[in-house]
Amino acid sequence: MANFLFCSLDAALIGDVAWQVSREGHDVRYYIEADSDQEIADGFVPKTDDWRRDLDWADVVVFDDIWVGGDIGTGELARELRAEGHAVVGGTPNTDALEEDRGYAMEVLEDHGVNTIEHHVFEDFDAGIKHVQENPAPYVIKPLGEVQNVKRLLYVGNEDDGSDIVDVLEAYKKAWGHRMKGFQLQRKVEGVEIAVCGFFNGESFVEPINFNFEHKKLFPGNIGPSTGEMGTSMFWAGRNELFAETLGKVEGWLADEGYVGSIDINCIVNEDGIYPLEFTPRFGYPTITLQVESFESGTGQFFLDLANGRDPGLEVHRGYQVAVRVVLPPFPFDDQKTYDENSRNAAVVFGSDSREGIHIEDAKRVSVAGTDRATGERSEPGAAVDGQWRVAGESGMPLVVTGKGETMQAAREQAYERVDDILIPNCYYRDDIGERWIDGDGDRLQAWGYLGPAV
């Protein structure tokens, strides 16, 4: 058994993984920086109020994101801690920049022989508008820097002449010109969107490799505003062509960086080629929740080995996996009044005693005869055998529900049967996670020859 220190220096994201590691018998402490997120994972995971004080106690330090605030990211902190002799799951300043600076990310890919989509970075809206007018085509607008976390600002063009892109850029100039310091225009490419994700131990990628499909729009059918993500479907495989032509080509660069953790590259794939879109040089959410659910070897031992440069000998579910994010108003927007009236401290009710496939995000557990940190209310003894699950934080993302199966359809059925067992007033979710694979994405990828045999 080992000591794990999980650190959320921006939003609280890693609570479910910490909970899983704790349930395996490891000692866990979880630090959350944001005042608004302090109650997240209460009752599930032991907390600490000073992560630096606990560094010498920890056998492994795990950072959940690259964002901290100010001019420093967790990559800089991780590099400093490694230099001091700590085992850390986290990035480096250069790997943080893969997400913060999309232009830099494309340069890294091109320098290592990866084919990329035509793209241009602009700091001036008028220059971007002029480029589209002089080079009419469908484009994708991708904000740069911290404002890229405002997911609804990403816009995928529909018009062949780019006229809608011009309209959107003109609107952004008026509404977001004071905050959006730059943006990337990327040529739109049609095909299957798939992400290649690998765990890196500082020297090489751990096998098997994860392949996942993000569902970012709020409503079924890929309609509505963009969110962080509404759900994920995935499978695991070997070092096939998709891996070899993307992450495989930057394996040496990541080793030189000393990167440790999960790194994901989202791509558009068609019969003509593989076109990387963007990096996620950190855990994805809820991707990491579904990945851990599919581990058939120990999660704690996996991260202990990963942080110490060893091959964990990862064993995973052979088949397909689906995760569904269950959310509440005002997600994906910020509106405190709406959240207070509809979601704050809401009870999570289960129709059965089973908690299989149920994972926490912005949730807490009020202990029997315990005190709720948010309200100060005392719960009555005997109110619940293991404590009442409640909604926590301010984002309206309490749960992720997962399913597994030998086929994608079987994984979907298990996940949605578990969703049906949950009652939270005003909750909503997408009911089509995994359907794209069934409706033809899987057949197309096979026909184009990109997928090797599954694990």
Side-chain angles (χ1 to χ4, degrees):
M1 297 294 105
N3 297 336
F4 287 82
L5 176 60
F6 291 88
C7 298
S8 291
L9 304 185
D10 187 40
L13 300 169
I14 202 69
D16 189 75
V17 177
W19 184 32
Q20 174 61 31
V21 172
S22 177
R23 284 182 290 174
E24 292 174 359
H26 300 280
D27 286 330
V28 168
R29 296 177 186 175
Y30 184 23
Y31 174 81
I32 299 173
E33 176 75 23
D35 290 341
S36 61
D37 290 347
Q38 289 293 311
E39 62 178 349
I40 290 174
D42 275 3
F44 291 98
V45 182
K47 299 287 192 64
T48 178
D49 59 5
D50 188 343
W51 69 275
R52 289 189 179 275
R53 181 189 61 204
D54 293 331
L55 284 172
D56 290 337
W57 166 85
D59 296 308
V60 181
V61 181
V62 181
F63 290 111
D64 65 354
D65 203 352
I66 69 169
W67 308 105
V68 176
D71 297 326
I72 188 172
T74 55
E76 178 66 32
L77 294 175
R79 184 173 67 176
E80 292 173 358
L81 293 179
R82 290 190 192 103
E84 295 171 6
H86 298 283
V88 182
V89 176
T92 73
N94 283 339
T95 60
D96 284 358
L98 294 175
E99 184 168 5
E100 295 175 312
D101 185 342
R102 297 180 192 273
Y104 171 73
M106 293 297 110
E107 289 176 8
V108 169
L109 289 172
E110 290 165 356
D111 288 346
H112 291 84
V114 180
N115 189 33
T116 61
I117 302 171
E118 179 188 338
H119 57 276
H120 303 274
V121 173
F122 299 92
E123 296 181 356
D124 179 78
F125 284 95
D126 290 335
I129 291 169
K130 182 179 180 182
H131 175 82
V132 176
Q133 292 172 334
E134 293 179 348
N135 303 273
Y139 290 89
V140 180
I141 303 172
K142 296 187 174 185
L144 302 180
E146 190 171 356
V147 76
Q148 69 184 278
N149 284 337
V150 183
K151 300 299 182 183
R152 64 184 179 275
L153 294 181
L154 185 146
Y155 179 77
V156 180
N158 295 307
E159 301 298 331
D160 290 341
D161 63 358
S163 57
D164 57 335
I165 294 292
V166 171
D167 292 341
V168 171
L169 286 175
E170 289 177 341
Y172 283 1
K173 178 182 177 180
K174 296 175 182 178
W176 289 90
H178 62 295
R179 286 188 59 192
M180 191 187 294
K181 303 305 181 183
F183 57 93
Q184 181 187 86
L185 286 180
Q186 191 175 75
R187 278 292 185 102
K188 181 181 177 181
V189 175
E190 300 290 347
V192 175
E193 186 172 352
I194 181 172
V196 184
C197 182
F199 287 96
F200 201 83
N201 69 0
E203 297 180 0
S204 62
F205 280 104
V206 170
E207 293 187 57
I209 307 301
N210 183 260
F211 298 87
N212 61 80
F213 304 85
E214 302 172 347
H215 298 68
K216 290 189 174 294
K217 295 291 188 177
L218 181 60
F219 300 118
N222 233 26
I223 298 170
S226 292
T227 70
E229 194 169 343
M230 289 301 291
T232 308
S233 58
M234 67 175 57
F235 63 93
W236 301 78
R239 292 179 172 235
N240 57 27
E241 185 176 353
L242 275 174
F243 171 83
E245 294 300 317
T246 54
L247 287 181
K249 291 195 172 183
V250 296
E251 190 165 19
W253 183 82
L254 291 170
D256 291 340
E257 285 292 314
Y259 183 81
V260 178
S262 168
I263 185 165
D264 175 298
I265 186 164
N266 199 29
C267 305
I268 290 289
V269 177
N270 58 35
E271 58 186 341
D272 298 320
I274 302 166
Y275 305 96
L277 301 176
E278 59 191 9
F279 278 104
T280 303
R282 54 174 173 79
F283 299 127
Y285 303 95
T287 305
I288 184 61
T289 299
L290 186 55
Q291 288 168 332
V292 168
E293 171 71 14
S294 65
F295 286 5
E296 295 187 347
S297 46
T299 301
Q301 188 62 49
F302 173 80
F303 286 118
L304 180 64
D305 289 337
L306 197 75
N308 285 281
R310 301 189 292 262
D311 182 353
L314 178 62
E315 297 179 6
V316 298
H317 172 256
R318 295 173 179 266
Y320 298 86
Q321 303 87 37
V322 165
V324 181
R325 182 173 258 163
V326 178
V327 299
L328 292 165
F331 182 87
F333 304 107
D334 297 322
D335 185 327
Q336 184 170 336
K337 181 180 179 181
T338 298
Y339 182 77
D340 289 344
E341 291 178 350
N342 295 277
S343 307
R344 186 176 299 281
N345 209 38
V348 180
V349 179
F350 296 96
S352 70
D353 293 334
S354 175
R355 302 293 180 270
E356 288 294 318
I358 309 298
H359 302 268
I360 62 168
E361 284 200 296
D362 295 349
K364 60 189 175 185
R365 184 163 56 188
V366 181
S367 301
V368 175
T371 300
D372 184 287
R373 181 185 298 200
T375 66
E377 297 175 353
R378 294 280 295 177
S379 61
E380 293 299 323
V385 174
D386 61 346
Q388 173 68 61
W389 290 35
R390 300 278 187 90
V391 176
E394 295 186 339
S395 299
M397 301 185 299
L399 300 177
V400 172
V401 182
T402 62
K404 297 179 289 187
E406 292 304 307
T407 65
M408 191 70 81
Q409 181 60 30
R412 275 178 41 78
E413 290 173 359
Q414 186 179 73
Y416 285 108
E417 285 173 2
R418 291 168 172 171
V419 171
D420 288 342
D421 195 47
I422 298 168
L423 174 60
I424 312 174
N426 304 312
C427 76
Y428 44 100
Y429 53 88
R430 279 183 61 162
D431 63 2
D432 64 343
I433 308 301
E435 279 188 358
R436 294 203 312 254
W437 175 271
I438 298 167
D439 290 343
D441 280 3
D443 291 340
R444 284 188 283 272
L445 290 170
Q446 292 282 6
W448 296 331
Y450 293 126
L451 301 182
V455 178

